[in-house]
Amino acid sequence: MKVQIHERFESRLPPDDDHPYRTGAWRPQHTEYDAWDLDVVEGAIPDDLEGVYLRNTENPLLPAIARYHPFDGDGMLHSVSFGGGEAQYHNRFVRTDGFLAEREAGEPLFAGAAENPGLARRRSDLGARPNMKDASSTDVVVHGGRALTSFYLCGDLYACDPVTLAPAGKAAFVPAEGASAHTQVDEHTGELLFFNYGTRPPYMHYGVVDPAGALVHYIDVPLPGPRLPHSMAFTERYAILNDCPLFWDPEALAQGHHVTRFHPDLPTRFAIVPRRGQPSEIRWFEAAPTFVLHWINAYEDGDCVVLDGFFQEDPSPRRVP
């Protein structure tokens, strides 16, 4: 096995760090490696195994301004690729604007998920929640031959080579309102589907990117107010968006505080829109109040659209004693 260090970063975390989300299985990795001619522990890698496994993680270089949340950690990609009976490994920090700014400053600049936004030392352009850092640490998909990383709130999509993880800048098709955490790639058409949300009307948008990386469709999806959808689903003909009744408390939001609250008096709503439909073609359907973070699957069964997800009677966040 051959290993070389691509770059090693200096951590500003305390040497005796005992934070539960920065120790054990959560212990951050601060060195970028390239490894090839990997040893096979048992057996052999099949010659016809071709592909890449990508993983996105949080790896904080700096402590929080006040209170650290695991979503605050800087994004790091890991790539294990296979081909011709061989395997290689690479890992890289995602060079986001926030990562580069904090590295230059040598201190945390943005408020974290569990912190007061007013603590930020620099304002970010994260539309869904200003003053947070777009860490691009939540998800990764491959579209048009490039790996695209995303953040759990709406932000930029950062592109890189899916094997070597060489950075390729921001995806140019992302609109000013950003892209949500989980974009969806249709392997049959090569299209990428996404949505975004924010605190200003119409509160949601939906878009389609063609296989060449051009934004070919982008529409308003009007909502009654700010919401917190995290993922979407699609079928052969439709995109499925959601308006679940767990979202930022309107009174707290008016004061600049992002506090989530479950509203059991409101229904869960689903928007079904043709893949390249207009706002006038959106059809809304109601269901019992809940919140679904990640949808499992969606498909068409005759005239019905079937959407699979996990139902929770009360999805309110629980406080740990």
Side-chain angles (χ1 to χ4, degrees):
M1 179 173 65
K2 298 182 177 66
V3 179
Q4 68 179 18
I5 294 175
H6 176 76
E7 189 168 354
R8 178 174 282 131
F9 293 82
E10 179 184 358
S11 170
R12 299 297 179 90
L13 297 173
D16 57 347
D17 192 8
D18 61 354
H19 194 286
Y21 287 125
R22 294 195 300 252
T23 54
W26 293 85
R27 183 171 62 89
Q29 162 68 271
H30 298 136
T31 302
E32 298 177 336
Y33 292 99
D34 298 307
W36 63 101
D37 289 343
L38 300 184
D39 297 329
V40 177
V41 176
E42 181 177 340
I45 299 173
D47 291 335
D48 58 353
L49 179 62
E50 299 275 349
V52 60
Y53 169 73
L54 289 165
R55 175 171 169 257
N56 205 354
T57 62
E58 288 90 8
N59 271 265
L61 273 175
L62 301 169
I65 294 177
R67 180 183 298 174
Y68 178 74
H69 186 283
F71 289 175
D72 302 336
D74 298 293
M76 175 178 278
L77 275 178
H78 302 259
S79 167
V80 181
S81 57
F82 302 90
E86 301 289 339
Q88 56 179 297
Y89 167 81
H90 307 271
N91 70 303
R92 296 288 188 273
F93 276 105
V94 183
R95 266 66 170 180
T96 66
D97 293 344
F99 173 83
L100 297 175
E102 289 189 328
R103 187 185 180 200
E104 180 180 359
E107 64 176 0
L109 299 175
F110 306 96
E115 295 178 322
N116 186 325
L119 294 175
R121 296 162 181 154
R122 185 176 300 182
R123 183 176 175 84
S124 74
D125 295 325
L126 198 64
R129 185 173 173 184
N131 295 357
M132 281 192 68
K133 175 175 60 177
D134 178 353
S136 206
S137 59
T138 302
D139 196 12
V140 56
V141 300
V142 176
H143 178 255
R146 301 188 303 169
L148 302 172
T149 60
S150 56
F151 188 50
Y152 86 97
L153 294 174
C154 299
D156 289 307
L157 297 179
Y158 286 84
C160 66
D161 182 280
V163 175
T164 67
L165 305 184
K170 301 177 186 178
F173 63 78
V174 178
E177 296 84 5
S180 59
H182 297 292
T183 59
Q184 304 292 330
V185 177
D186 186 334
E187 296 182 358
H188 296 285
T189 67
E191 295 173 322
L192 180 144
L193 313 179
F194 73 96
F195 70 97
N196 55 46
Y197 59 94
T199 56
R200 292 180 294 182
Y203 304 112
M204 183 188 282
H205 302 87
Y206 157 70
V208 180
V209 180
D210 71 12
L215 181 62
V216 294
H217 189 66
Y218 191 63
I219 63 170
D220 295 350
V221 182
L223 296 177
R227 296 295 191 263
L228 280 175
H230 186 68
S231 63
M232 61 173 291
F234 68 93
T235 68
E236 183 178 359
R237 294 181 295 167
Y238 301 104
I240 307 170
L241 307 166
N242 62 88
D243 172 11
C244 293
L246 187 147
F247 49 84
W248 288 317
D249 182 273
E251 294 183 3
L253 189 61
Q255 301 297 319
H257 303 293
H258 296 74
V259 180
T260 57
R261 183 164 70 88
F262 182 49
H263 303 261
D265 54 323
L266 296 177
T268 298
R269 302 196 309 147
F270 300 99
I272 296 182
V273 57
R275 293 271 287 264
R276 299 202 186 188
Q278 297 302 316
S280 60
E281 298 178 86
I282 298 173
R283 295 187 61 187
W284 287 97
F285 297 84
E286 294 187 355
T290 189
F291 183 81
V292 178
L293 195 66
H294 301 115
W295 299 100
I296 300 169
N297 190 30
Y299 59 94
E300 297 173 36
D301 183 7
D303 293 333
C304 295
V305 172
V306 181
L307 177 63
D308 293 330
F310 178 74
F311 180 86
Q312 302 177 78
E313 292 287 349
D314 182 0
S316 301
R318 298 291 194 271
R319 288 191 176 274
V320 178

